[in-house]
Amino acid sequence: MYVILVYDVGEKRVAKMLKLCRQYLNWIQNSVFEGEITEVKLKELIVLSKKILNERTDSVIIFSSRDQKWLDKQIIGVEKSDLSNIF
Amino acid sequence: MYVILVYDVGEKRVAKMLKLCRQYLNWIQNSVFEGEITEVKLKELIVLSKKILNERTDSVIIFSSRDQKWLDKQIIGVEKSDLSNIF
């Protein structure tokens, strides 16, 4: 399945979330990731992110689609993921 | 059509982008919006955001789907949009 994941977590947890999400998905902008992932791997990612998150203050939203073909992507301005190797 | 819009813009332009996007879509998290929008209205939003953006440093990504039914949404932690009336 294809997912878009966006997170909004407390500053102290940003680095951990970033590192975790990068192991499963492609970073495309700020706190936004996308990618093809199996249901099992997505469940794993959710379980692991719950260990990082403060569920009373932080938020992660995952949009998923069975196939990427149902989604069009349009980028205005710079494509930040081009820079992802720098970090 | 149904869209998810995420932006990553310089601090000086955040307030303007937030205000603009709120006129067309629902704020769901940090710099993330979603909603049902016509193609014409989406074009309008893109034209207006280009006036705000610095296209060499800022980035806006728009995912669109003909129908919301192709996308599932899962929220972990707090649903930040509940707070949207406060701002």
Side-chain angles (χ1 to χ4, degrees), chain A residues 55-72:
Chain A
E55 289 191 52
R56 285 185 305 172
T57 59
D58 299 339
S59 161
V60 174
I61 305 175
I62 299 166
F63 296 96
S64 53
S65 184
R66 250 192 249 171
D67 200 313
Q68 191 172 354
K69 73 177 175 196
W70 304 119
L71 271 180
D72 277 329

Side-chain angles (χ1 to χ4, degrees), chain A residues 7-66:
Chain A
Y7 63 71
D8 184 2
V9 304
E11 222 181 310
K12 286 180 188 171
R13 295 174 292 279
V14 167
K16 275 191 182 171
M17 270 304 285
L18 183 70
K19 196 180 162 192
L20 174 67
C21 293
R22 283 215 165 165
Q23 288 164 22
Y24 294 84
L25 298 165
N26 308 310
W27 179 76
I28 50 167
Q29 189 200 80
N30 211 358
S31 49
V32 187
F33 292 79
E34 68 167 356
E36 202 57 51
I37 190 169
T38 62
E39 264 187 68
V40 174
K41 281 284 171 191
L42 181 59
K43 274 186 188 157
E44 197 178 287
L45 172 57
I46 292 168
V47 168
L48 293 173
S49 36
K50 281 183 176 174
K51 288 185 183 173
I52 296 172
L53 294 178
N54 176 337
E55 289 191 52
R56 285 185 305 172
T57 59
D58 299 339
S59 161
V60 174
I61 305 175
I62 299 166
F63 296 96
S64 53
S65 184
R66 250 192 249 171

Side-chain angles (χ1 to χ4, degrees), chain A residues 2 4 6-8 28-32 34 42 46 49-50 53 55-66 70-80, chain B residues 2 4 6-8 28-32 34 42 46 49-50 53 55-66 70-80:
Chain A
Y2 173 79
I4 300 161
V6 291
Y7 63 71
D8 184 2
I28 50 167
Q29 189 200 80
N30 211 358
S31 49
V32 187
E34 68 167 356
L42 181 59
I46 292 168
S49 36
K50 281 183 176 174
L53 294 178
E55 289 191 52
R56 285 185 305 172
T57 59
D58 299 339
S59 161
V60 174
I61 305 175
I62 299 166
F63 296 96
S64 53
S65 184
R66 250 192 249 171
W70 304 119
L71 271 180
D72 277 329
K73 184 168 74 170
Q74 190 177 353
I75 298 172
I76 306 159
V78 285
E79 196 167 345
K80 303 231 169 176
Chain B
Y2 173 79
I4 301 162
V6 291
Y7 63 70
D8 184 3
I28 50 165
Q29 190 200 79
N30 211 358
S31 48
V32 187
E34 67 166 357
L42 181 59
I46 291 169
S49 36
K50 282 184 175 173
L53 294 178
E55 290 191 52
R56 286 186 303 171
T57 58
D58 298 341
S59 161
V60 174
I61 304 175
I62 300 166
F63 296 95
S64 54
S65 182
R66 250 191 248 170
W70 304 119
L71 271 181
D72 277 329
K73 184 168 74 170
Q74 190 178 351
I75 298 171
I76 306 159
V78 285
E79 195 167 345
K80 302 231 168 176

Side-chain angles (χ1 to χ4, degrees), chain B:
Chain B
M1 68 205 305
Y2 173 79
V3 307
I4 301 162
L5 181 152
V6 291
Y7 63 70
D8 184 3
V9 304
E11 221 182 311
K12 286 181 187 169
R13 296 175 291 279
V14 167
K16 275 192 184 173
M17 270 304 286
L18 183 70
K19 196 179 162 191
L20 174 67
C21 293
R22 283 215 165 163
Q23 287 163 23
Y24 292 83
L25 298 165
N26 309 311
W27 179 77
I28 50 165
Q29 190 200 79
N30 211 358
S31 48
V32 187
F33 291 79
E34 67 166 357
E36 202 56 54
I37 190 169
T38 63
E39 265 187 67
V40 174
K41 281 284 170 191
L42 181 59
K43 275 186 187 158
E44 197 178 287
L45 172 57
I46 291 169
V47 168
L48 293 173
S49 36
K50 282 184 175 173
K51 287 184 183 172
I52 295 171
L53 294 178
N54 176 339
E55 290 191 52
R56 286 186 303 171
T57 58
D58 298 341
S59 161
V60 174
I61 304 175
I62 300 166
F63 296 95
S64 54
S65 182
R66 250 191 248 170
D67 200 312
Q68 192 173 355
K69 73 178 173 193
W70 304 119
L71 271 181
D72 277 329
K73 184 168 74 170
Q74 190 178 351
I75 298 171
I76 306 159
V78 285
E79 195 167 345
K80 302 231 168 176
S81 56
D82 289 341
L83 307 169
S84 69
N85 294 327
I86 296 171
F87 299 106

